[in-house]
Amino acid sequence: MKLFVDTGSIKDIEAIASLGIIDGVTTNPSLLAKEPGDFRDNLKRICEIVQGPVSGEVTATDTAGMLREGRDIAKIDPHMVVKVPLTRDGIRACKTLAGEGIRVNVTLVFSAAQALLAAKAGATFVSPFVGRLDDVATDGMRLIREIVDIYDNYAFKTEVLVASCRHPMHIVEAARMGADICTCPPAVIDALFNHPLTNIGLERFLKDWEKAQAVKA
Ligand code: E4P
């Protein structure tokens, strides 16, 4: 399973990329709005760091505007992926951009029916938001299972990009279900490393080693 980082922070992306475990980046208008500088320059820099798919989202809500912005985003770098919302205009834009060879990530997906539409429109990625479903007392991971089943039934090529991940169990469950990608905020990626027994074990190994060295000296 691929791991993407969900942030617009170049500092955070540089730090996480140095671990060698990141395959791509997702951004959205809320995330990019927090960052200083021109968003195109920032996306270009992110592509240079990650050398993998980087999603940049359109803010137009009509098909013509999405196509204009989408083509502009795609020109930033060959790694760019155009993110469009799951609306009628977004699906039309997805179909056209995909036909031009531009990779599209259909975002704000909250149902299996919507995910089916994204696949039919030729999306490269579909982004179901599991955390936001959990927030409204609906099982986000159940949606992932449904989408993976449907895509498998018909061998759709669209990759399931699990978004709005809030904790490590979202990632573990997504991997067990065979989702293609999880995109997570830096803090959630950081949390994947943590286990108290790793810290205790390492401390004990080092203490035993030091004790033995002292005896030999
Ligand atoms: C996905 O591409 C979105 O940017 C993101 O995962 C949304 O997550 P949130 O619900 O934590 O804002």
Side-chain angles (χ1 to χ4, degrees):
M1 188 182 67
K2 285 172 270 189
L3 208 50
F4 287 6
V5 59
D6 192 32
T7 182
S9 162
I10 291 172
K11 198 170 131 253
D12 286 350
I13 292 168
E14 278 174 337
I16 292 171
S18 75
L19 295 167
I21 52 155
I22 290 304
D23 303 290
V25 170
T26 50
T27 67
N28 63 40
S30 307
L31 292 171
L32 286 180
K34 289 188 214 160
E35 303 305 320
D38 176 68
F39 84 94
R40 282 183 203 79
D41 295 343
N42 291 347
L43 287 171
K44 179 74 186 171
R45 180 72 194 117
I46 293 170
C47 289
E48 287 165 358
I49 299 166
V50 176
Q51 296 291 312
V54 175
S55 290
E57 190 162 341
V58 300
T59 52
T61 53
D62 62 304
T63 305
M66 287 182 191
L67 290 175
R68 203 170 42 248
E69 289 182 15
R71 289 172 185 137
D72 191 45
I73 288 170
K75 277 191 205 130
I76 294 173
D77 188 277
H79 290 107
M80 284 306 302
V81 173
V82 176
K83 222 174 177 190
V84 302
L86 192 297
T87 58
R88 287 170 181 78
D89 285 81
I91 286 297
R92 272 188 220 109
C94 175
K95 183 80 182 176
T96 303
L97 292 170
E100 294 172 9
I102 294 173
R103 290 179 299 171
V104 180
N105 175 356
V106 176
T107 190
L108 291 169
V109 168
F110 294 95
S111 78
Q114 292 179 321
L116 183 59
L117 297 175
K120 289 192 66 67
T124 299
F125 304 107
V126 66
S127 291
F129 279 36
V130 295
R132 292 193 196 184
L133 278 172
D134 290 352
D135 289 346
V136 293
T138 303
D139 186 351
M141 293 315 295
R142 186 175 165 178
L143 172 60
I144 303 306
R145 187 181 296 285
E146 287 175 359
I147 299 173
V148 168
D149 282 351
I150 291 169
Y151 282 13
D152 282 353
N153 283 346
Y154 297 98
F156 282 122
K157 289 197 175 71
T158 305
E159 292 189 53
V160 181
L161 196 171
V162 182
S164 186
C165 291
R166 299 276 162 79
H167 50 71
M169 279 315 288
H170 276 151
I171 298 153
V172 171
E173 285 178 36
R176 292 186 67 190
M177 289 173 188
D180 301 284
I181 309 156
C182 271
T183 188
C184 328
V188 174
I189 292 179
D190 196 48
L192 294 174
F193 282 87
N194 300 338
H195 199 291
L197 289 177
T198 304
N199 302 341
I200 293 166
L202 182 59
E203 207 175 305
R204 196 177 298 160
F205 284 155
L206 295 180
K207 259 194 201 140
D208 289 346
W209 184 254
E210 268 170 37
K211 230 189 282 167
Q213 300 310 304
V215 171
K216 284 179 194 168

